Amino acid sequence: MERKTRIGILGYGNIGRGVELAVMQNPDMELTAIFTRRDPGSIKNMAEGVRIANVSEIAKYKDDIDVLILCGGSATDLPEQGPRYAGLFNCVDSFDTHAKIPEYFASVDKAAKDAGKTAAISIGWDPGLFSINRLLAEAVLPVGKNYTFWGKGVSQGHSDAIRRVNGVKNAIQYTIPIDDTVNRVRRGETPELSARDMHMRECFVVAREGADKAEIEEAIRTMPNYFADYNTIVHFVSEEELRRDHSRMPHGGFVIRSGKTGFDGNKHVMEFSLKLDSNPEFTGSVMVAYARAVARLNAEGRTGAVTVFDIPLGYLSPRSPEELRSKLL
Amino acid sequence: MERKTRIGILGYGNIGRGVELAVMQNPDMELTAIFTRRDPGSIKNMAEGVRIANVSEIAKYKDDIDVLILCGGSATDLPEQGPRYAGLFNCVDSFDTHAKIPEYFASVDKAAKDAGKTAAISIGWDPGLFSINRLLAEAVLPVGKNYTFWGKGVSQGHSDAIRRVNGVKNAIQYTIPIDDTVNRVRRGETPELSARDMHMRECFVVAREGADKAEIEEAIRTMPNYFADYNTIVHFVSEEELRRDHSRMPHGGFVIRSGKTGFDGNKHVMEFSLKLDSNPEFTGSVMVAYARAVARLNAEGRTGAVTVFDIPLGYLSPRSPEELRSKLL
C-alpha cells in the first residue's frame, strides 16, 4: 500500500472539525497536526495521535505534512494565510468571496509557483461542487440559463448583519429558496428572476431587554443589500429557544440549468442538488477529497493555484484509473 | 479570434443529427463533413457548407478535421471504428457497453497513442455526466451509497428484445424509476434494493395479425435478464398508435448518493438529475462539449484514450480560465 497522505489543519473551528471528521473516514489519509492561534492545550480534538501546535510553530512541520487545509474565513484570515502558506505547503482552502477570487487566485498562484507547491482555492460546495455544475451545464447546453438557489440554510453573513442592529442580542437567519420559482425552472421555464423571486429570508432574533421590537423588525426588513430586496420574516425568540432550535447547521441548494436544443426547441433540465445536515462537515469532506487531488498534482509537478475547473475528477478518488473505468464509468 | 474547431461526424442517425444540431449552437465550432455508409446523395443534413462523403473517403479529410465524432452503436460499430479512427483523428464516442469498457479503452488508447491522437471514449450522460456524479459523490462522501435511476425513457435494448418475440411486429419499452424508492433514497435512507425495487418496465407492443397476445405477454414478462426481474406492464397498440404516441425520444434519470459524516451521523444527500426531451440531441450536445476538450488536450500533447474522469472540466467550456474563475466559480 502507498504511504498515507498526511494532512494538517490550520484553524480549529467548525470547518476544521469537519475536515478532521472527514480525514477519519478516508483510510488513505491521516491527520498529522492541527495548528491553532489559541493555546494548544485548550484544544480537544477527536482523532488520535494528532499533534496540536500553535500556528507560530507551523514551519517546523514543513516535511511532515503533504497538504495543509486552511480552515479560516474569507474576510480576514485567508487573504493573508492563502499566499503565506502556499509558500510552505500544498494547500486547500474554501475562499468564497466571489468578487475577490481573481485577485486571491493570483496571489496564491505566485506564492505556490515560487515554492513548487500546489494550492486548490475556493473548494467546498459553493464555490466548488456548484461551480462544477454551473460550468458543465453551460458547456453542454449553451442555449439556456443557469439558476442557483441556496437553502434552506443559515447565512452567517446575514445573521451577523442582524446582530449589528441596535437592540439585538443574538440572531440566526435562514435563506429559503421559493418553491414555486424552483418548480418553474425545473419544468424548463427560463424566467428573468429578481432576488425576491428566488429566495426569502427568515430571521430568529433575540432582543435585548427593553428594546423596541417593532423598530428592530423595521431596521432588519429595510436593510439595504441584505434584506430590503427580499421578503423577510422576523420572529422574536428567547436566547434559550435560539440555542435549542437553531444551533444546527443544515444547508443545501440547487443548481438548475434549463436549456434547449434543435429546431423543435427540445427542452432539457439538468439539476444538481444538495441536502446537508451539517454544512461544515460536508464542506470539510469536499476539502479532504481535493487534498488528495492536490497531493497527486504536486507529485506530478503541476504547481501553482488551481480550482475545481482545473483538476481531473479522477484525482479526487482513492480508486485507480482502471478501477474507476470499470466500476464507476 | 481563434480558428474554429472543425468537427466531422461519422454516422448520420439520431445521434449524428444531435451532434450536428449541437455544433450549430456553438459559435467556436464548425461542422466540416459528415461521413456515411449510405449513398452521400441520400443524406439531407441541416447545417450549411457541410461536405457529405462516403466513409470510404474519410482518410482524405485527415487534415481538414480537428475532431471526429463517432455516432455509431456500441454493439458492432464502435468496437471496430473506435480503434480504427483513433489512428487517424482525434475522436469522441459514446461507447456504452459497461462490461467491455476496459478492453475498448485499451484498444483505442493504443491506436491513439501510436498516432499522436486523443480520443474521449464513453461520452454522453450515462456513461458520462452520470459517471462524473457517481465519482464526485463517492469521493466526497466515502461512507454512503450511490443509486442510479434511469427514466422515464425508452430503452433501445429492451425494445429490441421485445421485437424478437414471436408474433411481435414492433415495440417500444419505457424504463420507469419507482417514485417511492427514489423518494426513500432522497430522504437519506440507504436501502439494499433489488432491480424490481428500483425500476418498472412498460411495453407498447404491436402484435402481428393472428398472433396470440396472451402468449406474447407471457414471453415478454418472463424473459430472463430483460424483464423477469421487474414488474412489467404490457399494452397492445396499433402500429399507428405506436408511431403517433411513442416515437419521441425523451429520457433522463437520477444519480443520488446518500452519505453520513461525523459521530452524530449527519446525513447528506447529493443528487444529479436530467429531464431530457430528446435523448439523442442531449447526448450529441455532451459529445460536442467533449470534442472541444479533446482538441485542446491534443494541442497540449496529451494523447491516448481519455474518459470524463481524466479531463479538467474547464476544457469543456469556450470561456478562458480567467473568465471561468470570475463568472462561474
Side-chain angles (χ1 to χ4, degrees):
Chain A
M1 197 184 133
E2 279 180 68
R3 190 171 60 69
K4 294 189 181 199
T5 301
R6 301 165 302 172
I7 302 292
I9 289 174
L10 173 58
Y12 197 65
N14 289 324
I15 299 276
R17 276 188 289 270
V19 168
E20 180 175 28
L21 290 165
V23 171
M24 293 165 80
Q25 287 190 325
N26 284 281
D28 64 332
M29 307 222 160
E30 64 188 6
L31 181 59
T32 300
I34 293 169
F35 303 99
T36 175
R37 282 179 292 214
R38 292 179 269 165
D39 167 16
S42 72
I43 300 286
K44 300 269 171 285
N45 81 303
M46 298 170 286
E48 287 178 17
V50 178
R51 284 169 282 176
I52 318 282
N54 189 275
V55 65
S56 60
E57 309 282 303
I58 197 167
K60 296 181 190 162
Y61 291 77
K62 213 175 155 343
D63 299 325
D64 301 327
I65 286 172
D66 298 309
V67 185
L68 181 69
I69 303 187
L70 308 183
C71 302
S74 299
T76 55
D77 297 333
L78 292 175
E80 187 264 325
Q81 292 175 349
R84 177 193 295 198
Y85 295 113
L88 286 169
F89 297 96
N90 298 314
C91 291
V92 174
D93 71 54
S94 62
F95 187 78
D96 67 357
T97 311
H98 279 87
K100 294 192 176 160
I101 285 175
E103 173 189 342
Y104 184 70
F105 180 90
S107 72
V108 174
D109 189 50
K110 182 174 186 327
K113 278 199 177 124
D114 288 349
K117 299 296 181 189
T118 311
I121 71 156
S122 301
I123 302 298
W125 59 273
D126 196 0
L129 303 185
F130 273 21
S131 321
I132 285 176
N133 280 279
R134 285 189 286 263
L135 185 154
L136 262 180
E138 185 189 87
V140 168
L141 293 173
V143 177
K145 223 164 138 54
N146 276 2
Y147 297 87
T148 302
F149 295 92
W150 297 277
K152 180 183 177 178
V154 172
S155 161
Q156 217 48 70
H158 288 79
S159 301
D160 287 344
I162 301 174
R163 292 183 197 117
R164 289 191 296 264
V165 169
N166 240 332
V168 171
K169 197 170 166 197
N170 204 348
I172 287 289
Q173 191 265 191
Y174 294 94
T175 305
I176 304 173
I178 293 174
D179 280 344
D180 282 354
T181 309
V182 175
N183 289 332
R184 283 179 67 190
V185 173
R186 268 195 196 133
R187 282 196 303 268
E189 295 181 35
T190 51
E192 290 295 332
L193 297 173
S194 67
R196 192 182 302 272
D197 295 328
M198 295 184 72
H199 296 95
M200 56 166 290
R201 303 198 173 278
E202 188 171 20
C203 315
F204 293 85
V205 180
V206 183
R208 292 189 189 283
E209 233 183 82
D212 182 332
K213 291 183 179 174
E215 243 172 52
I216 291 174
E217 180 165 346
E218 179 67 10
I220 295 170
R221 294 165 56 104
T222 58
M223 197 186 297
N225 303 319
Y226 286 93
F227 294 99
D229 299 333
Y230 299 86
N231 290 332
T232 301
I233 300 172
V234 178
H235 308 278
F236 287 94
V237 296
S238 69
E239 185 87 58
E240 193 199 333
E241 281 173 283
L242 193 78
R243 197 169 31 238
R244 186 191 66 207
D245 300 336
H246 304 286
S247 56
R248 292 178 68 242
M249 286 170 283
H251 217 311
F254 317 84
V255 175
I256 308 178
R257 186 171 186 88
S258 178
K260 285 190 180 178
T261 60
F263 296 123
D264 307 333
N266 281 315
K267 281 195 285 192
H268 308 283
V269 179
M270 303 173 66
E271 175 170 347
F272 178 75
S273 71
L274 293 173
K275 266 186 302 194
L276 312 175
D277 271 2
S278 166
N279 186 0
E281 288 181 15
F282 187 79
T283 300
S285 297
V286 178
M287 294 175 90
V288 167
Y290 276 88
R292 181 181 291 119
V294 159
R296 291 176 173 174
L297 288 168
N298 190 260
E300 291 180 0
R302 165 80 191 256
T303 63
V306 292
T307 73
V308 292
F309 301 147
D310 305 307
I311 301 174
L313 297 169
Y315 284 52
L316 303 176
S317 173
R319 297 183 190 257
S320 70
E322 293 73 23
E323 206 186 342
L324 287 175
R325 286 193 294 270
S326 73
K327 305 275 193 225
L328 294 182
L329 195 62
Chain B
M1 197 185 136
E2 280 181 67
R3 190 171 59 70
K4 294 189 181 197
T5 301
R6 300 164 303 171
I7 302 293
I9 290 174
L10 173 57
Y12 197 65
N14 289 325
I15 300 275
R17 277 188 288 269
V19 168
E20 180 175 27
L21 290 165
V23 171
M24 293 165 81
Q25 287 190 324
N26 283 281
D28 63 332
M29 308 221 159
E30 64 187 5
L31 181 59
T32 300
I34 293 169
F35 303 98
T36 176
R37 284 179 291 214
R38 292 178 269 166
D39 167 17
S42 72
I43 300 286
K44 299 269 172 287
N45 81 304
M46 299 171 285
E48 287 178 17
V50 178
R51 283 169 282 175
I52 318 281
N54 189 275
V55 65
S56 60
E57 309 282 304
I58 197 168
K60 297 182 189 161
Y61 290 78
K62 217 176 151 343
D63 299 324
D64 301 327
I65 286 173
D66 298 308
V67 184
L68 181 68
I69 303 188
L70 308 184
C71 301
S74 299
T76 55
D77 297 332
L78 292 175
E80 187 264 323
Q81 292 176 348
R84 177 192 296 197
Y85 295 113
L88 286 170
F89 298 96
N90 299 313
C91 290
V92 174
D93 71 54
S94 62
F95 187 79
D96 66 358
T97 310
H98 279 87
K100 296 192 175 159
I101 284 175
E103 173 189 342
Y104 183 70
F105 180 89
S107 72
V108 174
D109 189 49
K110 181 171 185 328
K113 277 197 178 123
D114 288 350
K117 299 296 182 187
T118 310
I121 71 156
S122 300
I123 302 298
W125 58 274
D126 196 0
L129 304 184
F130 273 21
S131 321
I132 285 176
N133 280 279
R134 285 189 286 263
L135 185 155
L136 262 180
E138 184 189 87
V140 168
L141 293 172
V143 177
K145 223 165 141 47
N146 276 1
Y147 297 88
T148 302
F149 295 92
W150 297 275
K152 180 183 176 175
V154 172
S155 160
Q156 217 47 70
H158 287 79
S159 301
D160 288 343
I162 301 174
R163 291 184 198 117
R164 290 190 295 264
V165 169
N166 241 334
V168 170
K169 198 171 165 197
N170 203 349
I172 287 290
Q173 191 263 193
Y174 294 94
T175 304
I176 304 172
I178 293 176
D179 280 345
D180 282 354
T181 309
V182 176
N183 288 332
R184 283 179 67 191
V185 173
R186 267 195 195 133
R187 283 197 302 269
E189 296 181 34
T190 52
E192 289 295 330
L193 296 173
S194 67
R196 193 182 301 275
D197 295 328
M198 294 184 74
H199 296 95
M200 56 167 288
R201 303 198 173 278
E202 189 172 20
C203 315
F204 293 85
V205 180
V206 183
R208 290 190 192 283
E209 231 182 83
D212 181 332
K213 290 183 179 172
E215 245 173 51
I216 292 175
E217 180 164 348
E218 181 66 10
I220 295 171
R221 293 165 57 105
T222 58
M223 196 186 297
N225 303 318
Y226 286 93
F227 293 99
D229 300 333
Y230 299 85
N231 291 332
T232 301
I233 299 172
V234 178
H235 309 278
F236 287 94
V237 296
S238 68
E239 185 87 58
E240 193 199 333
E241 281 173 283
L242 194 78
R243 199 169 30 238
R244 187 191 65 208
D245 300 336
H246 304 286
S247 56
R248 291 179 68 239
M249 287 169 283
H251 217 311
F254 318 84
V255 175
I256 309 179
R257 187 172 185 87
S258 177
K260 286 189 179 181
T261 60
F263 297 123
D264 307 333
N266 282 314
K267 281 195 285 192
H268 307 283
V269 179
M270 302 173 68
E271 175 171 346
F272 178 74
S273 71
L274 294 174
K275 266 185 302 193
L276 312 175
D277 272 1
S278 165
N279 187 358
E281 288 181 12
F282 186 79
T283 300
S285 296
V286 178
M287 295 175 89
V288 167
Y290 276 88
R292 180 182 290 121
V294 159
R296 290 176 175 173
L297 288 168
N298 189 260
E300 291 180 0
R302 165 80 191 255
T303 64
V306 293
T307 74
V308 291
F309 300 148
D310 305 308
I311 302 174
L313 298 169
Y315 285 52
L316 303 177
S317 172
R319 297 182 189 257
S320 71
E322 293 72 24
E323 206 185 340
L324 286 175
R325 286 194 294 270
S326 73
K327 304 275 192 224
L328 293 182
L329 196 61

mmCIF file of all heavy atoms in Angstrom, chain A residues 39-64:
data_model
loop_
_atom_site.group_PDB
_atom_site.id
_atom_site.type_symbol
_atom_site.label_atom_id
_atom_site.label_comp_id
_atom_site.label_asym_id
_atom_site.label_seq_id
_atom_site.Cartn_x
_atom_site.Cartn_y
_atom_site.Cartn_z
ATOM 1 N N ASP A 39 -4.256 28.637 22.656
ATOM 2 C CA ASP A 39 -3.348 27.797 23.440
ATOM 3 C C ASP A 39 -3.589 26.342 23.038
ATOM 4 O O ASP A 39 -4.703 25.832 23.192
ATOM 5 C CB ASP A 39 -3.672 28.011 24.931
ATOM 6 C CG ASP A 39 -3.014 26.951 25.813
ATOM 7 O OD1 ASP A 39 -2.080 26.257 25.332
ATOM 8 O OD2 ASP A 39 -3.442 26.823 26.969
ATOM 9 N N PRO A 40 -2.582 25.645 22.496
ATOM 10 C CA PRO A 40 -2.782 24.263 22.043
ATOM 11 C C PRO A 40 -3.395 23.377 23.139
ATOM 12 O O PRO A 40 -4.161 22.462 22.845
ATOM 13 C CB PRO A 40 -1.376 23.793 21.673
ATOM 14 C CG PRO A 40 -0.624 25.034 21.340
ATOM 15 C CD PRO A 40 -1.193 26.105 22.225
ATOM 16 N N GLY A 41 -3.077 23.655 24.392
ATOM 17 C CA GLY A 41 -3.616 22.851 25.489
ATOM 18 C C GLY A 41 -5.119 22.967 25.628
ATOM 19 O O GLY A 41 -5.772 22.095 26.223
ATOM 20 N N SER A 42 -5.713 24.025 25.030
ATOM 21 C CA SER A 42 -7.159 24.225 25.164
ATOM 22 C C SER A 42 -7.949 23.466 24.099
ATOM 23 O O SER A 42 -9.175 23.438 24.115
ATOM 24 C CB SER A 42 -7.485 25.724 25.061
ATOM 25 O OG SER A 42 -7.321 26.163 23.708
ATOM 26 N N ILE A 43 -7.243 22.850 23.126
ATOM 27 C CA ILE A 43 -7.917 22.181 22.003
ATOM 28 C C ILE A 43 -8.213 20.728 22.360
ATOM 29 O O ILE A 43 -7.310 19.971 22.695
ATOM 30 C CB ILE A 43 -7.024 22.213 20.738
ATOM 31 C CG1 ILE A 43 -6.710 23.644 20.311
ATOM 32 C CG2 ILE A 43 -7.643 21.400 19.591
ATOM 33 C CD1 ILE A 43 -7.830 24.379 19.663
ATOM 34 N N LYS A 44 -9.471 20.357 22.306
ATOM 35 C CA LYS A 44 -9.866 18.953 22.486
ATOM 36 C C LYS A 44 -10.266 18.415 21.115
ATOM 37 O O LYS A 44 -11.367 18.667 20.658
ATOM 38 C CB LYS A 44 -11.079 18.848 23.425
ATOM 39 C CG LYS A 44 -10.839 19.400 24.824
ATOM 40 C CD LYS A 44 -10.337 18.321 25.764
ATOM 41 C CE LYS A 44 -9.883 18.952 27.087
ATOM 42 N NZ LYS A 44 -8.563 19.650 26.950
ATOM 43 N N ASN A 45 -9.340 17.708 20.476
ATOM 44 C CA ASN A 45 -9.692 17.216 19.138
ATOM 45 C C ASN A 45 -10.215 15.792 19.209
ATOM 46 O O ASN A 45 -10.335 15.216 20.299
ATOM 47 C CB ASN A 45 -8.485 17.313 18.199
ATOM 48 C CG ASN A 45 -7.548 16.166 18.392
ATOM 49 O OD1 ASN A 45 -7.073 15.958 19.494
ATOM 50 N ND2 ASN A 45 -7.306 15.406 17.329
ATOM 51 N N MET A 46 -10.535 15.186 18.082
ATOM 52 C CA MET A 46 -11.229 13.902 18.049
ATOM 53 C C MET A 46 -10.352 12.729 17.622
ATOM 54 O O MET A 46 -10.408 11.661 18.220
ATOM 55 C CB MET A 46 -12.450 14.024 17.128
ATOM 56 C CG MET A 46 -13.446 15.072 17.658
ATOM 57 S SD MET A 46 -14.779 15.497 16.486
ATOM 58 C CE MET A 46 -13.878 16.498 15.290
ATOM 59 N N ALA A 47 -9.545 12.897 16.570
ATOM 60 C CA ALA A 47 -8.706 11.789 16.099
ATOM 61 C C ALA A 47 -7.545 11.554 17.067
ATOM 62 O O ALA A 47 -7.131 12.467 17.783
ATOM 63 C CB ALA A 47 -8.173 12.098 14.700
ATOM 64 N N GLU A 48 -7.022 10.321 17.067
ATOM 65 C CA GLU A 48 -5.891 10.018 17.947
ATOM 66 C C GLU A 48 -4.560 10.271 17.246
ATOM 67 O O GLU A 48 -4.473 10.229 16.022
ATOM 68 C CB GLU A 48 -5.957 8.548 18.382
ATOM 69 C CG GLU A 48 -7.074 8.334 19.391
ATOM 70 C CD GLU A 48 -7.220 6.884 19.820
ATOM 71 O OE1 GLU A 48 -6.274 6.100 19.602
ATOM 72 O OE2 GLU A 48 -8.287 6.558 20.367
ATOM 73 N N GLY A 49 -3.512 10.517 18.060
ATOM 74 C CA GLY A 49 -2.164 10.633 17.514
ATOM 75 C C GLY A 49 -1.927 11.901 16.727
ATOM 76 O O GLY A 49 -1.061 11.943 15.857
ATOM 77 N N VAL A 50 -2.697 12.940 17.024
ATOM 78 C CA VAL A 50 -2.569 14.192 16.283
ATOM 79 C C VAL A 50 -1.799 15.198 17.133
ATOM 80 O O VAL A 50 -2.118 15.379 18.310
ATOM 81 C CB VAL A 50 -3.968 14.756 15.961
ATOM 82 C CG1 VAL A 50 -3.846 16.086 15.226
ATOM 83 C CG2 VAL A 50 -4.774 13.742 15.165
ATOM 84 N N ARG A 51 -0.792 15.837 16.551
ATOM 85 C CA ARG A 51 -0.082 16.874 17.293
ATOM 86 C C ARG A 51 -0.873 18.180 17.217
ATOM 87 O O ARG A 51 -1.400 18.523 16.152
ATOM 88 C CB ARG A 51 1.326 17.052 16.719
ATOM 89 C CG ARG A 51 2.253 15.912 17.168
ATOM 90 C CD ARG A 51 3.547 15.921 16.408
ATOM 91 N NE ARG A 51 3.383 15.350 15.074
ATOM 92 C CZ ARG A 51 4.337 15.304 14.154
ATOM 93 N NH1 ARG A 51 5.530 15.816 14.411
ATOM 94 N NH2 ARG A 51 4.119 14.752 12.973
ATOM 95 N N ILE A 52 -0.992 18.867 18.333
ATOM 96 C CA ILE A 52 -1.680 20.158 18.356
ATOM 97 C C ILE A 52 -0.605 21.209 18.622
ATOM 98 O O ILE A 52 0.139 21.093 19.591
ATOM 99 C CB ILE A 52 -2.723 20.241 19.500
ATOM 100 C CG1 ILE A 52 -3.527 18.938 19.630
ATOM 101 C CG2 ILE A 52 -3.610 21.457 19.325
ATOM 102 C CD1 ILE A 52 -4.603 18.751 18.624
ATOM 103 N N ALA A 53 -0.503 22.177 17.739
ATOM 104 C CA ALA A 53 0.584 23.148 17.890
ATOM 105 C C ALA A 53 0.088 24.557 17.645
ATOM 106 O O ALA A 53 -0.919 24.767 16.944
ATOM 107 C CB ALA A 53 1.711 22.820 16.903
ATOM 108 N N ASN A 54 0.769 25.510 18.239
ATOM 109 C CA ASN A 54 0.457 26.896 17.931
ATOM 110 C C ASN A 54 0.923 27.186 16.506
ATOM 111 O O ASN A 54 1.930 26.651 16.041
ATOM 112 C CB ASN A 54 1.142 27.844 18.920
ATOM 113 C CG ASN A 54 0.640 29.268 18.722
ATOM 114 O OD1 ASN A 54 1.135 30.007 17.876
ATOM 115 N ND2 ASN A 54 -0.387 29.637 19.484
ATOM 116 N N VAL A 55 0.156 28.034 15.834
ATOM 117 C CA VAL A 55 0.451 28.326 14.429
ATOM 118 C C VAL A 55 1.866 28.896 14.253
ATOM 119 O O VAL A 55 2.470 28.747 13.181
ATOM 120 C CB VAL A 55 -0.633 29.256 13.829
ATOM 121 C CG1 VAL A 55 -0.615 30.611 14.515
ATOM 122 C CG2 VAL A 55 -0.494 29.369 12.326
ATOM 123 N N SER A 56 2.414 29.480 15.302
ATOM 124 C CA SER A 56 3.774 30.031 15.209
ATOM 125 C C SER A 56 4.821 28.938 14.960
ATOM 126 O O SER A 56 5.924 29.215 14.513
ATOM 127 C CB SER A 56 4.122 30.805 16.487
ATOM 128 O OG SER A 56 4.039 29.916 17.601
ATOM 129 N N GLU A 57 4.447 27.691 15.249
ATOM 130 C CA GLU A 57 5.369 26.556 15.076
ATOM 131 C C GLU A 57 5.248 25.899 13.695
ATOM 132 O O GLU A 57 5.936 24.899 13.420
ATOM 133 C CB GLU A 57 5.067 25.453 16.110
ATOM 134 C CG GLU A 57 4.977 25.923 17.553
ATOM 135 C CD GLU A 57 6.360 26.141 18.121
ATOM 136 O OE1 GLU A 57 7.150 25.175 18.090
ATOM 137 O OE2 GLU A 57 6.659 27.276 18.550
ATOM 138 N N ILE A 58 4.345 26.391 12.870
ATOM 139 C CA ILE A 58 3.917 25.621 11.687
ATOM 140 C C ILE A 58 5.062 25.297 10.724
ATOM 141 O O ILE A 58 5.092 24.206 10.131
ATOM 142 C CB ILE A 58 2.746 26.345 10.963
ATOM 143 C CG1 ILE A 58 2.005 25.403 10.012
ATOM 144 C CG2 ILE A 58 3.221 27.581 10.240
ATOM 145 C CD1 ILE A 58 0.675 25.966 9.515
ATOM 146 N N ALA A 59 6.026 26.209 10.579
ATOM 147 C CA ALA A 59 7.088 25.987 9.587
ATOM 148 C C ALA A 59 7.931 24.754 9.917
ATOM 149 O O ALA A 59 8.492 24.110 9.024
ATOM 150 C CB ALA A 59 7.977 27.229 9.466
ATOM 151 N N LYS A 60 7.974 24.386 11.194
ATOM 152 C CA LYS A 60 8.727 23.193 11.595
ATOM 153 C C LYS A 60 8.121 21.905 11.039
ATOM 154 O O LYS A 60 8.767 20.859 11.051
ATOM 155 C CB LYS A 60 8.762 23.076 13.125
ATOM 156 C CG LYS A 60 9.491 24.200 13.822
ATOM 157 C CD LYS A 60 9.491 23.978 15.332
ATOM 158 C CE LYS A 60 10.016 25.228 16.050
ATOM 159 N NZ LYS A 60 9.645 25.230 17.473
ATOM 160 N N TYR A 61 6.862 21.985 10.630
ATOM 161 C CA TYR A 61 6.162 20.778 10.150
ATOM 162 C C TYR A 61 6.226 20.640 8.628
ATOM 163 O O TYR A 61 5.552 19.803 8.053
ATOM 164 C CB TYR A 61 4.701 20.815 10.604
ATOM 165 C CG TYR A 61 4.531 20.636 12.094
ATOM 166 C CD1 TYR A 61 4.778 21.669 12.986
ATOM 167 C CD2 TYR A 61 4.119 19.404 12.611
ATOM 168 C CE1 TYR A 61 4.622 21.504 14.350
ATOM 169 C CE2 TYR A 61 3.959 19.224 13.978
ATOM 170 C CZ TYR A 61 4.215 20.279 14.839
ATOM 171 O OH TYR A 61 4.051 20.096 16.189
ATOM 172 N N LYS A 62 7.039 21.473 8.021
ATOM 173 C CA LYS A 62 7.133 21.535 6.564
ATOM 174 C C LYS A 62 7.278 20.157 5.904
ATOM 175 O O LYS A 62 6.655 19.886 4.883
ATOM 176 C CB LYS A 62 8.345 22.411 6.218
ATOM 177 C CG LYS A 62 8.196 23.210 4.956
ATOM 178 C CD LYS A 62 9.385 24.130 4.761
ATOM 179 C CE LYS A 62 9.581 24.464 3.275
ATOM 180 N NZ LYS A 62 8.922 23.612 2.302
ATOM 181 N N ASP A 63 8.089 19.285 6.489
ATOM 182 C CA ASP A 63 8.333 17.985 5.852
ATOM 183 C C ASP A 63 7.433 16.873 6.373
ATOM 184 O O ASP A 63 7.535 15.724 5.932
ATOM 185 C CB ASP A 63 9.800 17.578 6.042
ATOM 186 C CG ASP A 63 10.735 18.589 5.395
ATOM 187 O OD1 ASP A 63 10.359 19.132 4.332
ATOM 188 O OD2 ASP A 63 11.803 18.863 5.973
ATOM 189 N N ASP A 64 6.548 17.201 7.318
ATOM 190 C CA ASP A 64 5.691 16.167 7.922
ATOM 191 C C ASP A 64 4.273 16.188 7.387
ATOM 192 O O ASP A 64 3.446 15.357 7.772
ATOM 193 C CB ASP A 64 5.637 16.357 9.443
ATOM 194 C CG ASP A 64 7.015 16.273 10.070
ATOM 195 O OD1 ASP A 64 7.843 15.507 9.536
ATOM 196 O OD2 ASP A 64 7.272 17.001 11.047
#
